[in-house]
Amino acid sequence: MASPSPLFLLLILLFAILPSPISPSSINDTPSTYIVSVHPDAVKPSIFPTHSHWYQSSLSSLLSPSPPLLIHTYTGAAFHGFSVKLSPTQALLLRAQPHVLSLLPDRLRRLHTTRSPHFLGLGTSTDSAGLLKDSDFGSDLVVAVLDTGISPDRQSFHDRDLPPVPTKWKGSCVNTPDFPSSSCNRKLVGAKFFCAGYEATNGKMNQTSEFRSPRDSDGHGTHTASIAAGRYVYPASTLGYARGLAAGMAPKARLAVYKVCWTAGCYDSDILAAFDAAVADGVDVISLSVGGVVVPYYLDAIAIGAFGAMDRGIFVSASAGNGGPGALTVTNVAPWVTTVGAGTLDRDFPADVKLGNGKVIPGMSVYSGPGLAPGKTYPLVYAGTQAGDGYSSSLCLEGSLDPKFVAGKIVMCDRGINSRAAKGEVVKKAGGIGMILANGVFDGEGLVADCHVLPATAVGATSGEEIRRYISSAKPDSPPPTATIVFKGTRLGVKPAPVVASFSARGPNPESPEILKPDLVAPGLNILAAWPDKVSPSGIPSDHRTTEFNILSGTSMACPHVSGLAALLKAAHPEWSPAAIKSAFMTTAYTVDNRGETMLDESTGNSSTVMDFGSGHVHPQKAMDPGLVYDMTTFDYVDFLCNSNYTEQNIKVVTRKNADCSGARRAGHSGNLNYPSMAVVFQQYGIKQKMSTHFIRTVTNVGDGESVYSARVVAPAGMVATVKPEKLVFRRVGQKLNFLVRVQTRVAKLAPGGSVMKSGFIVWSDGKHNVTSPIVVTLQQPL
Ligand SMILES: *[C@@H]1O[C@H](CO)[C@@H](O)[C@H](O)[C@H]1NC(C)=O
Ligand SMILES: *[C@@H]1O[C@H](CO)[C@@H](O)[C@H](O)[C@H]1NC(C)=O
Ligand SMILES: *[C@@H]1O[C@H](CO)[C@@H](O)[C@H](O)[C@H]1NC(C)=O
Ligand SMILES: *[C@@H]1O[C@H](CO)[C@@H](O)[C@H](O)[C@H]1NC(C)=O
């Protein structure tokens, strides 16, 4: 018998590598998109005019006779490599090539707005005054927004009185039929779109329902861009609510828009291409209100793209996600990203439910339109008690309501599955005249105000239970249940505020527990910002209302607040690194509300903790002058990844640096990254065990030349924390000094698998600046 052919041997090898089952017929060889990381030191042979030619030619020879076409070529500004659709067999072949560092499966990400059905929220606006609003302050800076595009015709994006585009700007504006390059101006200085990865998975997009251009058919990108850098617009309001001045955080900064999100979501392969383009174009800040599941950094295209940007001095802020209030829900957790959760403003939109028994139940709404008759009450039903499928009717899903049951009535629906505004549409279609939207237990007491298509209000989980009880307690011989909704407009000076939004994603950090995340909270509830003309405020196609501004909630709205502020900080301190800017935000953040008490957690009404707000709520004025900063360089992050036990190969995928971990691993632990917060997790074993750790930190003087800082340490409850030295004497600006914080604790009584988190803080003070860092200790009892 002849010896086995090489192909046969290869197949044997492949089947041995692929996961079971082994039978060839059961192997799924359906192609999917991969992001291919190419060794950064691999030199393109000079016969190829571009990297695309080189990569395509390599694919053609390796995967003939039917080589796939490249989706994106990453130029190397933020990432080296390309994306391509491959079968699992082709992926294995490519993976084995010497120039290939790794293959990342493409992932789908989602916008972090609560308008998407799965999330909830409540909140406030961006009309707090920006810093130095009348000068050209910040006009040299370009903020990149990676989102759903932009509606360029909004007043928030006019370029009146702006100086010429900064000469360092290398970006451009695409030219398409629905987005002519004249859409750009001295405010919107760049606009590009990235859909090759999206179309590789979903097929050609439907150009009736979305624009194959930077034009925004959703509204999210227009909203986030105007939060970061919208111009002053007065009067601004959405259908009469939140009337006042609207302005972004950095009204003079320039915007560059990179559209990466489409109706079916946002793909990593496109997001990475946008990072690459933004870095090459010369932006100063990147804002990303998008996220997905947390994976190790070497598999996370957002973490990788953000690293490339940080390495070029670009500040990257990202939304924490709307998966709260549960623990471990925070996303976008890489230490080189600033991760932003959401808090309320001191403004809300009360719309109370008045029940037939006289009871008034607090609600929240920005409905505007024909109201309910004043003084009149209406029959009230709970959709879940309609005969038939009680589950789908309780949620007011499409087609689930019987007009005979709901016509002429106020209908209570539960949250979940379809969007909040869509439920209103379902009730309206079935003839209902109003809606009460009740939170489920997981939503807690956090309320989201929406632009509903009928008179409607949102109530908390406890209130929902109370209304259900009122409805079900009605006896046949007593008067039937009734209600009305009283819309009270915009209320200012709400106390307490800020409150951490229920939906805001929480720590601990699932990937690096020794890095506290989120880093900060910023306004993310009921935020008023620009809105496309062609999209209704409720986002429902049958809703034909138009508005220049809309009110949205989500960590998506919190992130661009920090992005715009980062542009202002960078304008004031051009030499600051991204880490220095982050440090300024974190060490000056506050944790008390406008009553002087610890910020509350909207989901429970109890005090919130560092797992909810990180270092606290951003304080723009104080961040401008922090006194000291905790700076970090690319090499500090490489050491951190070494100490997080990433392989040198995986570190290279993230950092494009040849890491030699032996030194870092000898020298320290991952908690020694020079982060502006300090966190440690102790595993408990013996009863007598004493646990201790130290945090080594370096602070850089960015305040006055000569200054003396003294430390005050408040240890986590029941623990001992000390600092050495207790005094730092600076002689000049830019000087760096080290200190060491030691934390010791004893075993806590915990059930197997249980854990307890305690926090304290250290504050360095020179009398003019307080530089504060949380100290967070978690004790875990193994199972
Ligand atoms: C494209 O979108 C429009 C509007 O949503 C819809 O009517 C049409 O059926 C869609 N076409 C395809 C091919 O899906
Ligand atoms: C909120 O506080 C109350 C009273 O201190 C406590 O009983 C309850 O467990 C707390 N809820 C949560 C979710 O921590
Ligand atoms: C890395 O590995 C070392 C040695 O096994 C271990 O002591 C350390 O806790 C690990 N660090 C992390 C962050 O997992
Ligand atoms: C620093 O903190 C102390 C104690 O909370 C406070 O009394 C002082 O006013 C703060 N100083 C500044 C400059 O914020």
Side-chain angles (χ1 to χ4, degrees), residues 511 513-514 640 642-646 665 669-671:
E511 179 59 19
E514 61 286 354
F640 165 80
C642 287
N643 285 322
S644 300
N645 296 341
Y646 276 46
R665 287 195 182 132
H669 61 92
S670 52

Side-chain angles (χ1 to χ4, degrees), residues 622 712 765 767-770:
K622 285 198 171 158
R712 183 162 73 96
S765 184
K768 277 172 73 182
H769 307 93
N770 286 336

Side-chain angles (χ1 to χ4, degrees), residues 79 283 393 513:
F79 184 72
V283 306
S393 59

Side-chain angles (χ1 to χ4, degrees), residues 47 70 85 152 179 317 319 346 349 366 406 432 463 524 577 665 711 777:
I47 53 161
L70 294 177
K85 208 163 168 179
F179 201 95
S317 53
S319 45
D346 63 349
F349 308 98
V366 289
V406 303
S463 302
S577 68
R665 287 195 182 132
V777 179

